Amino acid sequence: MENLLEVIDLKVTFPTSKGRIRAIDGVNFKVKKGEILGIVGESGSGKSISSLSIMGLISDQGQVEGKILFNDENLLNKTEVEMRKIRGDKISMIFQDPMSSLNPVFTIGNQISEAILLHNKGVTKKEAVEKTIELLKLVGLPSPEQRIHDYPHKFSGGMRQRAMIAMALACEPELLVADEPTTALDVTIQAQILELLKEIQMKLGMSIILITHDLGVVAETCHRVAVMYAGHVVEETDVYTLFANPKHPYTKGLINSLPKLGSRERLTPIQGQPPQLYDDLTGCRFASRCPFVSAECLENEQVIAEVTKGHFVRCHKEVG
Amino acid sequence: MNPVLKKQQTPPVVDLNAIDNIGEKTEGFYKVSFDKLRKNKLAMFGLYVILLNIIMAVFAPLIAPHDPTEMFVKNRLEAPSSQFFMGTDEFGRDIFSRIIYGAQISLKVGIISVGIGIFFGVFLGLISGYFGKLLDNVISRFMDVLFSFPDILLAIAIMAVLGSNITNVMIAIGIVSIPIFARITRSAVLSVRESQFIEAAKSTGVKDIVIIFRHILPNISAPIIVQSTLSLAFAIIAEASLSFLGLGTQPPSPSWGLMLNTGRGFMETSPWVAIFPGLAIMITVLSFNVLGDGLRDALDPRLKKD
């Protein structure tokens, strides 16, 4: 399969009063056409910053380096005007909290048709409304003909997230970035939304980047997974390999700390805290929490390398 | 057509006319707020007085028993009677008629000067709040400078530069009311700007200018509406004060402030010359203030009590 998006050596730094924070430090990943890539990691590992850099929505203080190739064009070289044409049309995004990502003063129909009118010149309002209704049907919202007149406060969380997905699909994007789309929803709705995303992905053949901290979500939905830790991708592989044969100690730790149905054993958490991402970090960033740490880990930073075909790991032990 | 839809096997036919007829639109924010306002008796009283004022101003020629500048020389300084409801002034002009015509001046000055204040203040507040940084600093510091003058003093200074006539009164009061609108708008923009729906709008490729006016402005209309009613009250007082000081509207126009000033000289012998215009100012300003307070309660979703 062809690569739709290729992130090469992406670095994002933010100045703070204590020095530069390296929020993302040399991240590489690829999204193939028609693939769902999961990005997992804990808070502050750089998941959201990665997605915002793809959208070009990093705030002005942040410095972005590296390459983000989308259909072989580097998005980081685009001007703001060019990016605006890509956003919503070629790449669109769904956000974590559906309760606050719809504008409370417009009706649902109004907001979705705005996205349609914005990127399709020559579409009449009536056509846009018609399309909005179709989209809402596609995402499984009941009786969309009435619902387009409703304001967001009348929608439940799951319905709002469906409306947000409809809005993101308005221009049939090639890439959908879903930043923790199910975190704010309860478990049954979560399952429905994930099912919907999978279904739509199959129907429309687009690619999805699914950002989450929930390994269960990854297992259910994604084709491939990138595990992020402290601004690095520490392991990248297909979803089966990740759960069957995790290589990086952090991934192993994550999987060990998941509860298993029927098991009465105590969970093993990963001890300690992730490091502060200032400039003076040396060695492996997971070293302070790693049970297999050696002198080498503290001195040299390991680069990510392929251990078996399609399985990338950033660890001295595994790569040698 | 959107290729998304073509891929579906059976595109359902949608009758758009039927959709329009489904009607039963959701109760909007303003309808809900107005229902809340209706329960506030004091605010509704204010609203009625203001409506009465507007009717008085619009239909002044029909309501007023006399021409406001007509002098009944024989009836100078006459006490209230059936012919002159509020008495006459030192030239024998009917005070009741003058107060009715005076409402035109007060409302005109109020609306136009607050209009100036809203237009420039909201615009400056929107761009300084949204873009921030240097632009925000320049605009906000300039507003701080304007704020540091006492309102009336600043208005007097502007009048002194522009010269005294009614147009300049409106400009002066308008300029004085810019900073409060700019500041209120800016702070409201700052809180809305960080909302996720603004980021969502950006992620669908909406331009900054559209985000500012279409997505942010409607979300911050409530504090601006409340401030407008309070600023209207201020504008009416300011016009009366300027006229009282001889800087505003010039005789013989029936400005309430001007009438109050001339009445001052006859307080002991003919108090009605000063009392009625004073009452007119007081009631109108009070009405705007109670309406403003009521609106603030009605438009604030956090103050929901059923």
Side-chain angles (χ1 to χ4, degrees):
Chain A
M1 275 191 288
E2 222 181 312
N3 285 332
L4 176 69
L5 182 88
E6 198 172 349
V7 174
I8 303 167
D9 202 22
L10 182 70
K11 289 181 178 148
V12 181
T13 55
F14 293 96
T16 66
S17 52
K18 288 190 210 156
R20 281 195 315 163
I21 285 260
R22 293 193 283 175
I24 294 187
D25 200 9
V27 158
N28 296 285
F29 59 82
K30 289 172 194 152
V31 185
K32 297 190 178 104
K33 281 201 171 132
E35 178 182 62
I36 304 183
L37 172 74
I39 299 184
V40 268
E42 58 196 281
S43 305
S45 60
K47 300 169 304 208
S48 292
I49 295 291
S50 306
S51 68
L52 289 175
S53 349
I54 295 169
M55 299 298 290
L57 290 175
I58 296 280
S59 67
D60 297 346
Q61 292 100 25
Q63 277 188 346
V64 187
E65 286 166 56
K67 275 185 193 163
I68 299 176
L69 299 178
F70 179 72
N71 284 332
D72 296 327
E73 284 179 71
N74 190 352
L75 295 183
L76 296 180
N77 291 341
K78 299 263 180 199
T79 62
E80 178 58 26
V81 179
E82 288 170 318
M83 270 316 281
R84 217 179 277 144
K85 283 188 189 134
I86 292 172
R87 270 181 226 143
D89 194 28
K90 300 257 166 43
I91 308 178
S92 57
M93 189 160 179
I94 15 183
F95 292 87
Q96 178 173 352
D97 185 4
M99 302 314 266
S100 64
S101 35
L102 288 163
N103 194 331
V105 300
F106 295 120
T107 59
I108 299 289
N110 212 325
Q111 295 191 46
I112 299 175
S113 47
E114 186 191 14
I116 296 170
L117 292 168
L118 195 66
H119 290 289
N120 297 298
K121 297 276 176 294
V123 174
T124 63
K125 273 213 166 136
K126 223 171 188 189
E127 284 169 340
V129 171
E130 215 168 328
K131 229 183 275 184
T132 303
I133 293 169
E134 299 299 334
L135 283 165
L136 289 175
K137 273 203 181 124
L138 183 73
V139 298
L141 196 83
S143 56
E145 292 88 351
Q146 281 109 313
R147 284 305 193 164
I148 56 167
H149 297 298
D150 279 352
Y151 286 90
H153 71 268
K154 288 208 159 179
F155 274 41
S156 69
M159 285 160 77
R160 287 189 202 194
Q161 198 58 295
R162 282 172 198 269
M164 280 304 292
I165 293 173
M167 202 189 296
L169 296 178
C171 296
E172 207 201 357
E174 293 171 53
L175 177 65
L176 180 68
V177 181
D179 190 353
E180 309 204 19
T182 56
T183 308
L185 305 171
D186 65 58
V187 181
T188 47
I189 307 296
Q190 239 180 54
Q192 289 173 14
I193 294 287
L194 290 174
E195 203 49 51
L196 173 69
L197 279 177
K198 267 201 284 190
E199 202 184 294
I200 285 169
Q201 189 273 329
M202 300 249 266
K203 222 183 251 176
L204 310 181
M206 61 183 178
S207 309
I208 298 179
I209 296 180
L210 183 70
I211 294 167
T212 177
H213 53 243
D214 188 340
L215 280 172
V217 168
V218 167
E220 254 174 70
T221 325
C222 301
H223 302 133
R224 259 172 354 102
V225 192
V227 181
M228 286 193 75
Y229 180 77
H232 282 154
V233 172
V234 292
E235 186 158 4
E236 183 191 339
T237 180
D238 66 275
V239 68
Y240 301 104
T241 318
L242 186 88
F243 285 94
N245 188 18
K247 292 281 186 193
H248 196 278
Y250 178 64
T251 319
K252 287 179 189 165
L254 281 183
I255 292 172
N256 283 337
S257 52
L258 281 180
K260 289 172 197 70
L261 212 60
S263 160
R264 298 186 61 83
E265 271 173 59
R266 280 196 157 270
L267 297 175
T268 16
I270 305 174
Q271 298 295 334
Q273 293 289 326
Q276 300 268 299
L277 302 176
Y278 293 112
D279 269 339
D280 53 359
L281 279 179
T282 50
C284 174
R285 294 185 171 190
F286 189 60
S288 61
R289 306 170 76 182
C290 183
F292 314 108
V293 63
S294 68
E296 193 191 10
C297 300
L298 295 170
E299 277 161 29
N300 305 316
E301 196 172 289
Q302 173 66 45
V303 289
I304 194 155
E306 197 164 9
V307 283
T308 54
K309 191 167 172 19
H311 192 160
F312 298 85
V313 182
R314 189 192 276 264
C315 181
H316 287 289
K317 298 278 173 201
E318 293 299 330
V319 183
Chain B
M1 275 303 287
N2 191 338
V4 173
L5 309 174
K6 282 186 195 152
K7 283 174 194 162
Q8 274 193 308
Q9 284 173 340
T10 45
V13 185
V14 179
D15 181 5
L16 282 171
N17 297 320
I19 293 163
D20 290 339
N21 292 341
I22 284 171
E24 205 227 325
K25 282 203 174 174
T26 315
E27 279 195 355
F29 173 65
Y30 291 105
K31 168 94 174 63
V32 174
S33 303
F34 186 68
D35 285 343
K36 246 191 279 178
L37 183 69
R38 273 222 295 250
K39 287 184 193 141
N40 185 339
K41 292 209 179 78
L42 198 61
M44 285 315 281
F45 166 77
L47 184 64
Y48 290 136
V49 172
I50 291 160
L51 288 177
L52 195 73
N53 243 310
I54 293 170
I55 291 167
M56 244 163 65
V58 173
F59 298 105
L62 299 175
I63 300 169
H66 304 284
D67 185 282
T69 50
E70 189 184 353
M71 299 181 197
F72 300 89
V73 187
K74 284 183 195 156
N75 308 79
R76 278 191 298 175
L77 293 173
E78 199 168 277
S81 65
S82 59
Q83 195 192 353
F84 305 108
F85 297 136
M86 295 181 181
T88 59
D89 65 6
E90 76 275 27
F91 298 114
R93 294 175 298 196
D94 178 32
I95 292 177
F96 181 58
S97 305
R98 286 177 69 73
I99 283 182
I100 287 171
Y101 276 91
Q104 286 181 337
I105 296 176
S106 289
L107 286 179
K108 191 165 90 183
V109 171
I111 289 165
I112 293 179
S113 57
V114 171
I116 294 171
I118 291 178
F119 184 82
F120 291 103
V122 169
F123 179 74
L124 290 173
L126 280 172
I127 58 172
S128 72
Y130 185 78
F131 292 109
K133 292 192 204 139
L134 183 68
L135 186 70
D136 177 30
N137 244 319
V138 171
I139 293 174
S140 295
R141 294 300 81 76
F142 184 63
M143 290 302 135
D144 288 346
V145 170
L146 284 184
F147 246 129
S148 65
F149 292 102
D151 293 342
I152 279 293
L153 219 56
L154 182 60
I156 290 172
I158 297 168
M159 289 304 297
V161 175
L162 297 176
S164 347
N165 66 48
I166 184 127
T167 317
N168 293 343
V169 170
M170 295 189 268
I171 294 173
I173 300 173
I175 292 173
V176 173
S177 29
I178 289 174
I180 183 85
F181 281 107
R183 203 176 262 190
I184 283 178
T185 308
R186 176 177 172 273
S187 63
V189 170
L190 287 182
S191 66
V192 174
R193 187 182 66 173
E194 301 302 326
S195 324
Q196 216 169 51
F197 62 81
I198 297 299
E199 201 175 6
K202 277 186 197 163
S203 80
T204 51
V206 183
K207 286 183 195 150
D208 284 338
I209 194 87
V210 181
I211 288 181
I212 293 175
F213 287 101
R214 219 178 109 75
H215 292 260
I216 295 182
L217 188 56
N219 272 297
I220 60 168
S221 54
I224 297 174
I225 291 170
V226 172
Q227 184 54 45
S228 322
T229 56
L230 301 176
S231 282
L232 272 165
F234 163 75
I236 289 168
I237 284 251
E239 185 273 328
S241 314
L242 289 174
S243 301
F244 184 86
L245 296 169
L247 286 164
T249 41
Q250 299 299 318
S253 75
S255 155
W256 293 344
L258 203 59
M259 290 161 71
L260 194 64
N261 187 24
T262 52
R264 203 169 42 110
F266 311 101
M267 261 317 268
E268 281 172 23
T269 50
S270 326
W272 54 87
V273 185
I275 285 175
F276 289 112
L279 273 178
I281 295 169
M282 193 195 87
I283 291 171
T284 310
V285 170
L286 188 69
S287 306
F288 274 114
N289 276 325
V290 293
L291 177 67
D293 280 346
L295 277 175
R296 192 202 314 257
D297 295 346
L299 291 172
D300 189 345
R302 272 161 303 184
L303 289 176
K304 253 178 204 155
K305 34 182 176 178
D306 290 59

